[in-house]
Amino acid sequence: VQLVESGGGLVQPGGSLRLSCAASGFTFSRYAMGWARQVPGKGLEWVSGIASDGNTYYADSVKGRFTISRDNAKNTVYLQMNSLKPEDTAVYTCMTGLGGTVEADLDEYDYWGQGTQVTVSS
């Protein structure tokens, strides 16, 4: 299993970014995917997940601003982040537990990408 994120960067408050996570080594369409983030000095936070059936789930802190989606033909999961705030600054990582449903418990995830830095600052 390999997960490779891209799309991070520096953006001003109120701006947008789209993160991508390219997956390989497993049958992507069968499994749920998720995004988590880590702020230096703080714990890892579950952000969003998309089930194999396309149902989506969000942490309250990002609901209404972030959108998760998947392209099974490209084996890629996306996180569209709008109305970004300084507190969204973190390393964002995609993950999978190779299950069909989304879990907010990060212990359920066995495979993680290397992460991509998102910095929201003026």
Side-chain angles (χ1 to χ4, degrees), residues 11 20-22 27-28 34 37 58 69 80-81 90 94 97 105 112:
V11 63
S20 301
C21 173
T27 307
F28 179 80
R37 65 186 180 184
Y58 301 93
S69 62
Q80 177 67 44
M81 306 185 295
C94 70
D105 181 354
W112 299 77

Side-chain angles (χ1 to χ4, degrees), residues 18-105:
R18 188 177 82 154
L19 306 182
S20 301
C21 173
S24 61
F26 62 104
T27 307
F28 179 80
S29 61
R30 291 185 182 176
Y31 300 111
M33 299 294 297
W35 287 94
R37 65 186 180 184
Q38 183 149 31
V39 176
K42 296 188 178 180
L44 198 60
E45 176 190 16
W46 177 83
V47 172
S48 181
I50 183 165
S52 56
D53 63 5
N55 285 335
T56 58
Y57 304 85
Y58 301 93
D60 288 343
S61 57
V62 306
K63 199 172 295 182
R65 301 187 297 122
F66 290 11
T67 302
I68 190 171
S69 62
R70 65 191 300 158
D71 185 335
N72 290 337
K74 295 183 178 180
N75 288 356
T76 301
V77 60
Y78 303 98
L79 187 67
Q80 177 67 44
M81 306 185 295
N82 298 330
S83 302
L84 283 161
K85 305 175 182 180
E87 52 264 42
D88 294 317
T89 296
V91 175
Y92 285 73
T93 306
C94 70
M95 66 276 190
T96 184
L98 296 184
T101 57
V102 171
E103 302 289 342
D105 181 354

